[in-house]
Amino acid sequence: MAKILQRIRLVPNVHLLEVEAPEIARRAAPGQFIMIMADEQSERIPLTIADWDAEKGSVSCIFLTVGTSTRKLALLQAGDDVPVFVGPLGKPSEIKTFGTVVCAGGCFGIAAIYPIARALKAQGNKVITVVDVKARYLLYWEDKLRRVSDRFIISTRDGEAGGTNEPHYIAAELGRLIAAGPRVDRVTAIGCTYLMSACAEATRPHGIKTVVSLNPIMVDGTGMCGACRCTEGGKTRFACVDGPEFDGHAVDWEEVYARRKSYFDDEVRSLCAWEEKTFG
Ligand SMILES: Cc1cc2nc3c(=O)[nH]c(=O)nc-3n(C[C@H](O)[C@H](O)[C@H](O)COP(=O)(O)OP(=O)(O)OC[C@H]3O[C@@H](n4cnc5c(N)ncnc54)[C@H](O)[C@@H]3O)c2cc1C
Ligand code: FES
């Protein structure tokens, strides 16, 4: 059991969940995740640790409402309990002095990139943060991210924040950054599979190491079930214990796309049944 300290909607479809979890807060590192169950009937789902406060003993995650479990989470209130909140899981991000690093984030990745950007900045890197949102009003945690970034770029699909009238996308933004110089030494990209694979393709011709945080379906999160199998450099990996961060240039993206869709029909059925039962 873990107590919800707060659950607030940050922008449409995106919620912050702060949970009392002193042990996890004491041991958390950038890049790690937790497994949560919204209630006794829910599946276990992984969420990235977006922030933590060791003194207060709390851990914060940001989630998008996409299906049954995340919709259940979005109904939780301060004081409620969740039956499962375990972590920290996964390998922490590699934090070293690389030089100029780009932290690219979209959807929940805007929050997931935050502890990585903070740690890279504290390590003496020049941090350029690039965030992707469909429109400016969907951006959250701008102040937090600006505080740990030397440069902050907002890429919107409607072109509003970019100062042009042309829609653009984070991978194109990344391409422009690389072309303009100075040299980018490393990129970390977190968000939907498309965003991460597009960022990896943008950096591939330039040989810039690009780390992606894969989000395959996970069941136990501890390397026992095999659900999160993926392939990196021709080798089988389990994202929950060998990752979730991998070399974006070595990931078999077709496999990631295919495996993420494995239960699509069941997920839609589950959501319809739950909505019917909950809202009539
Ligand atoms: C390491 C990791 C960290 C993640 N961090 C975040 C985060 O910080 N914030 C966030 O919003 N999302 C995060 N995700 C994705 C999140 O786990 C899924 O959005 C969530 O499980 C969807 O559950 P659902 O029941 O609401 O949706 P469903 O309708 O069940 O599924 C919608 C889609 O979500 C994916 N999904 C479903 N079940 C799982 C599962 N058990 N594990 C992984 N993906 C699943 C599938 O691609 C599916 O098509 C992360 C995933 C991984 C693997
Ligand atoms: S989630 Fe079961 S092996 Fe990774």
Side-chain angles (χ1 to χ4, degrees):
M1 282 281 187
K3 189 163 293 303
I4 306 300
L5 298 176
Q6 63 167 329
R7 198 272 316 144
I8 48 169
R9 196 188 64 146
L10 297 177
V11 294
N13 219 26
V14 178
H15 297 252
L16 175 138
L17 190 70
E18 189 185 10
V19 181
E20 188 177 63
E23 261 313 291
I24 302 178
R26 203 173 53 75
R27 295 188 290 125
Q32 291 189 296
F33 65 95
I34 54 86
M35 296 293 289
I36 185 170
M37 274 171 73
D39 60 37
E40 295 287 356
Q41 275 76 47
S42 282
E43 58 177 344
R44 287 161 65 99
I45 63 161
L47 296 178
T48 307
I49 300 175
D51 205 358
W52 59 92
D53 184 333
E55 250 173 59
K56 189 177 174 189
S58 76
V59 169
S60 295
C61 300
I62 302 286
F63 65 93
L64 251 69
T65 49
V66 292
T68 313
S69 298
T70 47
R71 273 178 172 76
K72 284 181 177 179
L73 290 178
L75 295 178
L76 292 172
Q77 302 294 346
D80 289 344
D81 290 314
V82 286
V84 170
F85 191 82
V86 291
L89 300 169
K91 287 188 176 165
S93 307
E94 188 184 17
I95 305 295
K96 287 185 182 163
T97 310
F98 298 109
T100 298
V101 294
V102 172
C103 292
C107 54
F108 75 80
I110 294 171
I113 207 81
Y114 168 72
I116 300 171
R118 180 176 60 187
L120 287 169
K121 176 85 181 129
Q123 192 65 35
N125 292 284
K126 181 181 176 193
V127 176
I128 302 174
T129 301
V130 189
V131 293
D132 174 76
V133 279
K134 273 195 188 131
R136 185 71 165 79
Y137 75 96
L138 294 171
L139 178 59
Y140 59 90
W141 278 22
E142 178 174 351
D143 288 351
K144 274 175 88 109
L145 281 161
R146 279 191 189 277
R147 279 198 293 274
V148 297
S149 307
D150 294 278
R151 205 174 150 198
F152 186 73
I153 300 170
I154 308 167
S155 164
T156 59
R157 315 281 172 83
D158 58 7
E160 189 203 333
T164 75
N165 289 323
E166 283 175 33
H168 46 283
Y169 186 67
I170 198 161
E173 206 67 75
L174 198 49
R176 275 194 281 275
L177 255 179
I178 294 166
R183 181 171 164 84
V184 170
D185 298 294
R186 188 178 172 99
V187 172
T188 301
I190 310 185
C192 68
T193 309
Y194 177 70
L195 178 145
M196 294 190 287
S197 62
C199 286
E201 287 320 307
T203 57
R204 193 190 295 275
H206 307 278
I208 300 168
K209 175 80 186 257
T210 299
V211 176
V212 294
S213 182
L214 292 189
N215 42 17
I217 289 176
M218 291 187 177
V219 177
D220 65 323
T222 58
M224 307 287 281
C225 69
C228 66
R229 178 167 62 77
C230 53
T231 305
E232 182 196 38
K235 294 202 177 95
T236 297
R237 304 276 192 214
F238 295 107
C240 63
V241 285
D242 300 322
E245 293 186 357
F246 293 100
D247 176 353
H249 298 153
V251 165
D252 179 343
W253 289 106
E254 289 308 315
E255 182 189 50
V256 176
Y257 278 108
R259 286 182 66 84
R260 272 182 59 79
K261 287 190 287 197
S262 308
Y263 302 104
F264 187 72
D265 291 348
D266 296 320
E267 288 157 359
V268 171
R269 267 195 291 277
S270 154
L271 180 58
C272 292
W274 176 76
E275 283 194 332
E276 188 82 26
K277 195 173 129 206
T278 312
F279 304 114

